[in-house]
Amino acid sequence: MLLHIAYLLAGGLLLWKGADWVVDAASAIARRFGISELIIGLTIVAMGTSLPEFLVTLTAVLKGIPSISFANIVGSNIFNLGIILGAVAMIKSVSGSKTLITRDIPILFGVELLIRMMVSGGELGRFDGVILTSVFVGYLAWMYYRCKKPSSASDAALCDMVSDSEVATVKDYLLLPVGLLAVSFGSQFVVDGASGVARAFGLSEWLIGVTIVAAGTSLPELVTCLSASVKGKNDMILGNLIGSDFFNFAGVLGITSLIRPIAIMPDELLNMTFAVVVVAVLWIFIRTQGKISRSEGALLFAAGIGRWLFEIWRGAM
């Protein structure tokens, strides 16, 4: 039992630090080759902070534990937009750009609603994976096209190339493979530890996945948002969380279900529905004033905590 808990803690630490190293090193290397900040953010940073979710989800599926794989993604989404966003907004209101409000949040809502309909049959199959992966790749291609042919001054500013003086060091080239190895081993530890804890306490793997594993794999997003809040860059927080959740649902679930279909239990549909509702509520909140106020943050935080408590209660029944 203690060994399984140690696996969970060690895995969470490796996921956290590994993802941090991957993002920093890969971003520095990308700048070395003159890649724009927009492309770095859309690809390296988004995928880097979502590496834990991807590897934990893929590992769980390959080990025949689909409940942890799907629960990890759904739980991470609710943790990001409920607990993390809510907590940060309670400290200081979180703003969102016009593009985020009119394009990115609706796209995330549409992807989650699509997945909710896909899993109604009890499985996220390979054909579903093709659709989700195509949506993800298409979105990145569209953003890349906007960067190459900006339609506004704001687009052009986002796509400006970084200075040639920002070059990668030897340390960055060494940290990239070390970070990837850390995330890989961390995902193995988290899945093994979570499964062991679930069996020891007689809890369902879904419950462990949607709470402990989801929180652990969301550590990169939590650290990024806290850092942005401390530095007074609250306008970056919502974009980071929305981008990460989009990659999780479209990219992670899409690629994973392409490799191996994910079985969905009937009880898991409720949390997927809740995830869709959270995005819808967030969209309503942000459209009213262009930001998430402290009171709205408190409601999101309460919803995230309430969902955790409900799952614990349901798992104990």
Side-chain angles (χ1 to χ4, degrees):
M1 175 61 192
L2 291 177
L3 180 61
H4 293 137
I5 293 177
Y7 274 7
L8 265 176
L9 295 176
L13 180 61
L14 286 171
L15 289 173
W16 173 20
K17 294 305 297 180
D20 192 36
W21 291 336
V22 168
V23 170
D24 289 345
S27 297
I29 293 170
R31 292 188 185 99
R32 168 65 179 82
F33 291 97
I35 299 175
S36 73
E37 293 286 355
L38 177 62
I39 301 303
I40 292 173
L42 283 171
T43 55
I44 297 169
V45 175
M47 295 177 189
T49 57
S50 292
L51 263 179
E53 285 91 342
F54 176 61
L55 288 178
V56 167
T57 299
L58 181 59
T59 301
V61 167
L62 294 178
K63 289 192 172 185
I65 316 174
S67 290
I68 285 183
S69 66
F70 189 69
N72 173 41
I73 297 301
V74 177
S76 292
N77 168 267
I78 299 173
F79 190 86
N80 287 347
L81 299 184
I83 295 176
I84 295 179
L85 179 59
V88 174
M90 283 193 294
I91 299 171
K92 183 181 180 181
S93 61
V94 177
S95 59
S97 66
K98 181 179 179 181
T99 300
L100 194 73
I101 297 170
T102 59
R103 185 195 66 203
D104 298 316
I105 296 179
I107 288 176
L108 175 62
F109 174 76
V111 167
E112 291 194 17
L113 187 61
L114 175 63
I115 292 174
R116 177 59 183 85
M117 292 187 290
M118 287 176 170
V119 299
S120 297
E123 182 183 73
L124 198 63
R126 286 193 171 91
F127 181 71
D128 299 324
V130 170
I131 295 175
L132 292 175
T133 304
S134 298
V135 169
F136 177 67
V137 173
Y139 180 77
L140 290 184
W142 176 38
M143 293 299 291
Y144 180 76
Y145 176 79
R146 283 184 60 242
C147 184
K148 287 298 184 181
K149 296 184 178 181
S151 57
S152 65
S154 60
D155 285 351
L158 282 173
C159 296
D160 281 344
M161 293 298 179
V162 296
S163 170
D164 292 337
S165 62
E166 298 184 62
V167 297
T169 64
V170 174
K171 178 183 176 182
D172 294 313
Y173 288 98
L174 293 175
L175 275 182
L176 183 58
V178 171
L180 290 172
L181 283 174
V183 173
S184 179
F185 280 111
S187 64
Q188 296 279 344
F189 288 167
V190 166
V191 171
D192 291 342
S195 300
V197 170
R199 288 192 295 269
F201 281 104
L203 302 173
S204 69
E205 289 165 342
W206 162 262
L207 175 60
I208 295 295
V210 83
T211 53
I212 298 174
V213 177
T217 55
S218 289
L219 280 175
E221 286 87 354
L222 174 60
V223 173
T224 300
C225 289
L226 288 177
S227 176
S229 181
V230 169
K231 294 176 181 178
K233 296 181 179 180
N234 273 32
D235 55 332
M236 296 172 56
I237 293 172
L238 190 57
N240 174 53
L241 293 176
I242 294 298
S244 177
D245 286 344
F246 174 77
F247 177 76
N248 287 342
F249 277 105
V252 174
L253 285 182
I255 295 171
T256 302
S257 56
L258 266 176
I259 297 171
R260 179 173 293 183
I262 304 173
I264 311 295
M265 301 300 292
D267 290 344
E268 299 172 6
L269 299 179
L270 179 60
N271 267 276
M272 186 64 226
T273 301
F274 186 76
V276 176
V277 172
V278 167
V279 178
V281 170
L282 169 63
W283 193 12
I284 293 171
F285 283 170
I286 197 74
R287 281 183 64 88
T288 56
Q289 304 178 62
K291 64 181 181 179
I292 303 295
S293 66
R294 287 188 172 92
S295 59
E296 292 168 340
L299 288 174
L300 289 173
F301 184 81
I305 294 295
R307 192 270 316 175
W308 261 22
L309 295 176
F310 173 75
E311 284 303 322
I312 293 172
W313 171 81
R314 189 167 66 155
M317 295 297 290

